[in-house]
Amino acid sequence: MATAGSLGLPFADPALEARIRSRLAEMEDALSASIQSEAAFVNEAARHLLRAGGKRFRPLLLLLAAEFGDPDAPGVLPAALVVELTHLATLYHDDVMDEADLRRGAKSANARWDNSIAILTGDFLFAHASRLVAGLGPDAVRIIAETFAELVTGQTRETVGAGPDDDPIAHHLRVLDEKTAALIDTCARYAGMFSGAREEETAALRRYGRAVGMAFQISDDIIDISSTDSGKTPGTDLREGVRTLPVLYTLADPAADPRLRELVSGPITSEELLHEAVELLTCSPGMARARKTLADYADAATAELDLLPESSSRDAMSSLVRYVIARTR
């Protein structure tokens, strides 16, 4: 089977693969061309993350979902540009919020320049996304505005943290839903809208997108601890005291290993202690429960695909679900 880009997504249908690859290449060219400024420095900062690459997960999903209607309809490619520009803009802002030094293996914009440049560059990309979406009509503008509100709410919710009366696990899952799943839902919604898919198909695609978005972020939580070949140093979130889903399940379990609970209760500065925490957490009930939650969202996504007509695109979207699970192993 052939694969699409860095996702490693298998295609059983060579014609579909060729069509998606061609559309992704077209989108990549349009993405670069759409970011233009008279100021050379602005162009350099805006293209910083473009040059670093990325999975293009959101436009890939949108283009696959558009196969349930007319994938060559005029609004499909601009919609893919809108969601990817929106996503890229959030990455600039996220790196400032997280005080990150690296993004996609390269220096983050805030580390290369400073926080002000990173924030302004994110704003610049949002402006270009707004310019593009304006040409797609008032419904598209309203949808991306509502999505942006969810993204900001999720980031704010994460920054403020769970309140004393909040369930930390439910809080974390809601953050993932708002920060990530909301935009992937919009990818599926735009795909259905602009390809002319039937209403019931668009609804199923949206529910699929929401579930896949949750699964993708939960898999990131697991990869932080268990993966040795993801390009990410195991335990990065543990080192920074970020409470991912396996950690939250561990802290919520009174029967969990007391030593592990002690280790993951805050940032870990010692490499020796970090190694111990990763070893204990990898085989813990908290990790098993996180994997079960991941599987539940993957099953929910698959159930939505079962409501759609059989097609090569549906098969590829099913492979996407399997990929999200496989990347945690």
Side-chain angles (χ1 to χ4, degrees):
M1 286 186 178
T3 59
S6 60
L7 269 179
L9 177 65
F11 281 93
D13 181 353
L16 175 64
E17 182 205 4
R19 189 158 62 249
I20 295 298
R21 281 190 181 278
S22 175
R23 294 293 271 168
L24 281 173
E26 189 178 353
M27 190 221 66
E28 200 71 30
D29 290 342
L31 193 61
S32 180
S34 69
I35 303 171
Q36 294 290 342
S37 169
E38 294 179 358
F41 179 78
V42 175
N43 283 331
E44 181 185 1
R47 290 192 168 89
H48 179 64
L49 283 185
L50 281 183
R51 288 193 294 267
K55 298 181 181 67
R56 303 296 186 251
F57 180 91
R58 290 152 190 82
L60 172 64
L61 188 145
L62 190 154
L63 293 172
L64 284 172
E67 291 284 325
F68 290 93
D70 176 5
D72 296 318
V76 171
L77 188 63
L81 287 172
V82 167
V83 295
E84 187 63 11
L85 279 171
T86 301
H87 172 59
L88 286 169
T90 66
L91 296 184
Y92 281 89
H93 289 176
D94 283 353
D95 285 345
V96 172
M97 300 291 294
D98 298 340
E99 300 180 349
D101 293 325
L102 293 174
R103 168 68 69 177
R104 296 174 174 173
K107 269 192 172 184
S108 62
N110 50 301
R112 181 171 176 178
W113 294 290
D114 58 30
N115 284 347
S116 296
I117 294 298
I119 292 169
L120 290 170
T121 302
D123 292 345
F124 179 74
L125 295 178
F126 275 129
H128 278 280
S130 298
R131 174 180 57 81
L132 286 169
V133 79
L136 295 175
D139 282 346
V141 172
R142 174 182 54 79
I143 288 166
I144 202 66
E146 292 170 350
T147 304
F148 185 44
E150 279 200 82
L151 297 175
V152 172
T153 300
Q155 181 65 69
T156 304
R157 197 184 304 279
E158 181 179 50
T159 302
V160 172
D165 298 325
D166 293 333
D167 175 357
I169 295 168
H171 177 272
H172 181 70
L173 292 174
R174 188 167 184 185
V175 166
L176 300 188
D177 181 66
E178 292 170 336
K179 277 191 64 178
T180 298
L183 185 56
I184 297 176
D185 175 343
T186 295
C187 292
R189 190 174 185 181
Y190 274 174
M193 282 175 59
F194 294 113
S195 71
R198 292 185 299 168
E199 186 175 337
E200 60 269 26
E201 291 172 347
T202 301
L205 287 167
R206 288 187 63 189
R207 293 190 296 268
Y208 165 87
R210 205 94 189 188
V212 164
M214 290 295 293
F216 198 84
Q217 280 304 105
I218 292 169
S219 71
D220 271 356
D221 280 6
I222 294 171
I223 286 170
D224 178 67
I225 298 155
S226 66
S227 178
T228 57
D229 59 358
S230 65
K232 184 178 180 181
T233 304
T236 298
D237 288 332
L238 287 175
R239 184 182 288 107
E240 297 172 357
V242 176
R243 293 185 172 181
T244 56
L245 194 58
V247 169
L248 290 169
Y249 279 142
T250 296
L251 293 173
D253 180 7
D257 182 336
R259 174 59 175 165
L260 177 57
R261 285 169 57 90
E262 177 188 0
L263 286 168
V264 301
S265 61
I268 302 174
T269 55
S270 160
E271 291 300 313
E272 182 180 350
L273 293 178
L274 181 65
H275 178 74
E276 181 184 0
V278 167
E279 288 289 312
L280 289 173
L281 195 55
T282 298
C283 57
S284 69
M287 175 62 80
R289 192 174 172 191
R291 290 188 182 278
K292 174 63 168 59
T293 303
L294 170 61
D296 288 345
Y297 279 108
D299 288 346
T302 299
E304 296 302 331
L305 289 180
D306 290 341
L307 302 176
L308 296 168
E310 291 187 15
S311 66
S312 298
S313 181
R314 193 182 83 165
D315 292 343
M317 292 173 76
S318 180
S319 295
L320 187 60
V321 177
R322 293 193 295 273
Y323 160 77
V324 171
I325 297 286
R327 72 196 285 261
T328 66
R329 293 171 182 157

